Amino acid sequence: MAGGDDLKLLGAWASPFVTRVKLALNFKGLSFEDVEEDLSNKSELLLSSNPVHKKVPVLVHNGKPICESVIIVQYIDEAFAGIGPALLPSDPYERAIARFWAAYVDDKVLVAPWVQSLRAKTEEEKSEGLKQTFAAVETLEGALRECSKGEGYFGGETVGLVDISLGSLLSWLNATEVISGTKIFDPVKTPLLAAWMERFSKLDAAKAALPEVDRVVEFAKKRQAQAAAAAAASETK
């Protein structure tokens, strides 16, 4: 790391958004202090560092906070441009394309349909959420074919912004398979993504950042049980 740089990550282990930042820091080869937040009792540091949303992740660099995972990843790439591999292309057009697909991952895979499938109260809602997720994944299969240019990653020969954005979801996607029996990256339907997932998961930087699948499964089941109990309680009032 560059001399004098102090990096502190405020996060929560189960959050894929926090995992995203850890991945970026690891791939850049940067040392950082990993501060686990209790989201039911948020620290003063978190509340003062992100007074607008009061959410993790927050990267504190030499006392200055940066919020929102995709913004943090891009900040890391720019602030430490001379360290480790570049996470974004140097060409403006290719950089814009990478940002587009990173946003697509959040909008079409993480935030809406996939989360809907996990939180669904009925089989119909779950089915619809998974249907939308599979449609988005098939689109990403085409994006990987185009962006990789025959290499192993969305970033080409090396991991880039889109790889980190999608890679941050891998523990949760694997947990979904354990819980529901549904394989999101099907080797038959999306062979490129299935191979990419295996390749990405074996990287040392990824293994150091991704939470254990069994731990995520336990966490997800606990959250589902809490949500079901809360819904049942509201119906009896």
Side-chain angles (χ1 to χ4, degrees):
M1 186 189 299
D5 281 303
D6 177 62
L7 290 169
K8 183 179 296 184
L9 176 60
L10 312 183
W13 71 268
S15 167
F17 298 109
V18 174
T19 299
R20 179 174 296 172
V21 178
K22 290 181 179 179
L23 285 168
L25 290 165
N26 288 351
F27 280 114
K28 293 291 281 186
L30 299 170
S31 300
F32 63 98
E33 181 183 353
D34 187 5
V35 180
E36 183 73 13
E37 285 282 339
D38 178 357
L39 299 184
S40 64
N41 184 27
K42 298 175 182 178
S43 70
E44 285 301 319
L45 179 58
L46 174 59
L47 296 175
S48 62
S49 298
N50 190 357
V52 176
H53 298 300
K54 302 177 177 62
K55 294 181 178 180
V56 295
V58 176
L59 181 69
V60 183
H61 180 201
N62 292 337
K64 298 178 180 179
I66 306 98
C67 308
E68 301 292 326
S69 64
V70 172
I71 293 173
I72 296 172
V73 171
Q74 294 180 64
Y75 173 83
I76 290 169
D77 198 40
E78 294 173 5
F80 298 96
I83 300 176
L87 303 179
L88 279 156
S90 57
D91 179 78
Y93 177 75
E94 291 184 358
R95 194 158 60 243
I97 294 299
R99 286 170 172 154
F100 172 86
W101 287 116
Y104 184 89
V105 168
D106 281 358
D107 293 342
K108 301 299 183 181
V109 181
L110 175 58
V111 175
W114 178 53
V115 171
Q116 176 186 330
S117 70
L118 286 176
R119 296 178 178 174
K121 296 178 181 178
T122 67
E123 285 300 316
E124 184 178 352
E125 289 176 346
K126 178 181 177 180
S127 177
E128 180 59 29
L130 286 174
K131 180 181 177 181
Q132 292 180 37
T133 300
F134 285 132
V137 166
E138 288 182 11
T139 299
L140 284 173
E141 175 83 357
L144 177 56
R145 183 181 297 107
E146 178 183 337
C147 295
S148 67
K149 298 179 174 65
E151 302 294 342
Y153 302 99
F154 284 92
E157 294 182 0
T158 59
V159 166
L161 175 65
V162 186
D163 297 286
I164 288 173
S165 293
L166 187 59
S168 65
L169 307 180
L170 289 185
S171 293
W172 274 97
L173 292 174
N174 286 324
T176 301
E177 180 179 348
V178 172
I179 294 170
S180 68
T182 302
K183 200 171 190 66
I184 304 298
F185 292 165
D186 190 305
V188 175
K189 296 180 180 178
T190 54
L192 294 180
L193 279 175
W196 169 87
M197 181 178 69
E198 291 294 325
R199 190 180 305 115
F200 186 90
S201 299
K202 291 177 181 177
L203 296 172
D204 289 341
K207 288 190 286 187
L210 292 169
E212 295 180 1
V213 174
D214 289 345
R215 191 181 181 194
V216 174
V217 169
E218 183 180 350
F219 177 83
K221 287 182 176 179
K222 182 178 179 181
R223 291 293 295 270
Q224 286 178 329
Q226 290 173 340
S234 65
E235 290 176 359
T236 59
K237 290 182 180 179

